């Protein structure tokens, strides 16, 4: 496939876990990519990426220090860009609760700046990364990401005659990423903890690898009409099973749900299901008629060779039909988190 060969790709928040994996996949699968621009505000993390992909070996790599809050700088970075992957976000739930204005500036105003830059600079494809916390949000982080999702969907109604498509990908907890519970439990075990803290023994979450997240973004880039929120079909796990997989001989203690945290996560609500179609490997929440202009639900169904989901459908981590076991979690930890993992 030549999807990204000859193209200029910009990744906001490109020094994060997703950005690094996405760069790895592009360089492996699209050797003729014209440029990969890393747009982020951390000079140390950019320096570290340059050590991994040095200029003299990977001349297509570019690095821009900049913040998505800064529209003028984003406009400069997007000149000549064909594809934007918007991964920059303020993601820590508790940090967002204590610093709401800062979270809004990055996650909402930053999203609008990406949209404005894409429209002004002739970008062709924009895919924004979302989160399960944007579905029926109960914390500020989730609310800002839902707002961001709405902005990117609505941007398809602002493009006029421009040849540009905006879409969103939404997925759950990423194995081994910063803030993931798996490295936390491993650290606790290795430090000799007497107990493993579990917020609630009933708690469940969706589970996805970085590779699967990248695959979803690539699918969106290759197939979106514009306005879709793509959701992967992925397994769930019980938090207590993760602790058992990592530290089977250490007692677990329930410490209570943190502020802004859910017992279970949803990615598609019953209300969303009215506009949800089943693509086989993925679901897509398609925009309401007010955002699609001439496009109808049938247009999306035909384009994606999809079928509508049943009435009353919802996609939640506690009612999922795919589940990780203690053994499968151990295998995934070895594969995606720590190749030296042992019990």
């Amino acid at each position: 496939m030549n999807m990204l060969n000859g193209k200029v790709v910009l990744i906001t928040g490109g020094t994060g876990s997703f950005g690094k994996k996405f760069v790895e996949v592009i360089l492996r699968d699209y050797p003729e990519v014209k440029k990969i621009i890393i747009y982020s505000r951390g000079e140390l993390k950019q320096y570290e990426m340059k050590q991994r992909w040095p200029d003299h070996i990977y001349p297509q790599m570019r690095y821009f220090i900049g913040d998505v809050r800064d529209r003028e700088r984003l406009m400069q970075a997007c000149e000549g860009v064909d594809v934007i992957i918007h991964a920059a976000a303020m993601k820590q739930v508790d940090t967002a609760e204590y610093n709401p204005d800062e979270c809004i500036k990055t996650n909402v105003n930053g999203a609008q700046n990406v949209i404005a830059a894409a429209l002004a600079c002739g970008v062709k494809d924009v895919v924004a990364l979302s989160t399960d916390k944007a579905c029926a949000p109960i914390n500020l982080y989730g609310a800002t990401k839902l707002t961001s999702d709405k902005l990117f969907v609505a941007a398809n109604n602002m493009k006029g005659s421009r040849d540009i498509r905006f879409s969103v990908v939404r997925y759950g907890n990423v194995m081994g990423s910063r803030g993931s519970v798996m490295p936390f439990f491993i650290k606790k075990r290795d430090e000799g903890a007497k107990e493993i803290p579990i917020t609630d023994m009933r708690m469940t979450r969706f589970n996805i690898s970085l590779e699967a997240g990248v695959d979803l973004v690539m699918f969106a880039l290759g197939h979106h009409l514009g306005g879709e929120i793509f959701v992967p079909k992925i397994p769930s796990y019980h938090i207590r099973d993760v602790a058992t997989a990592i530290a089977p001989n250490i007692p677990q203690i329930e410490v209570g749900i943190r502020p802004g945290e859910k017992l279970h996560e949803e990615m598609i609500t019953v209300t969303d299901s009215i506009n949800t179609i089943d693509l086989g490997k993925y679901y897509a929440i398609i925009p309401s008629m007010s955002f699609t202009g001439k496009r109808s639900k049938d247009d999306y169904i035909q384009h994606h060779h999809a079928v509508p989901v049943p009435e009353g459908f919802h996609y939640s981590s506690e009612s999922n039909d795919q589940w990780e076991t203690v053994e499968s979690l151990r295998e995934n930890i070895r594969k995606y988190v720590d190749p030296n993992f042992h019990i």
Side-chain angles (χ1 to χ4, degrees), residues 55-120:
D55 295 344
H56 66 282
I57 300 176
Y58 301 97
Q60 61 271 67
M61 296 296 295
R62 301 286 191 279
Y63 297 88
F64 277 65
I65 294 291
D67 196 314
V68 291
R69 301 179 181 192
D70 186 343
R71 184 176 293 197
E72 184 178 348
R73 178 61 170 159
L74 201 50
M75 290 282 190
Q76 293 174 339
C78 288
E79 187 174 341
V81 167
D82 300 296
V83 175
I84 295 176
I85 308 301
H86 178 50
M90 186 170 169
K91 300 175 182 177
Q92 294 295 324
V93 170
D94 52 350
T95 302
E97 296 297 317
Y98 280 104
N99 304 275
D101 191 40
E102 296 302 304
C103 184
I104 291 166
K105 286 175 184 175
T106 297
N107 294 357
V108 179
N109 298 347
Q112 190 58 56
N113 288 341
V114 170
I115 291 165
L119 290 170

Side-chain angles (χ1 to χ4, degrees), residues 24 41 48 76 82-83 100 103 116 214 228 237 257 328 343:
E24 182 184 306
R41 57 187 183 179
E48 291 168 349
Q76 293 174 339
D82 300 296
V83 175
C103 184
V214 170
E228 301 98 329
Y237 59 66
I257 292 178
S328 71
I343 302 170

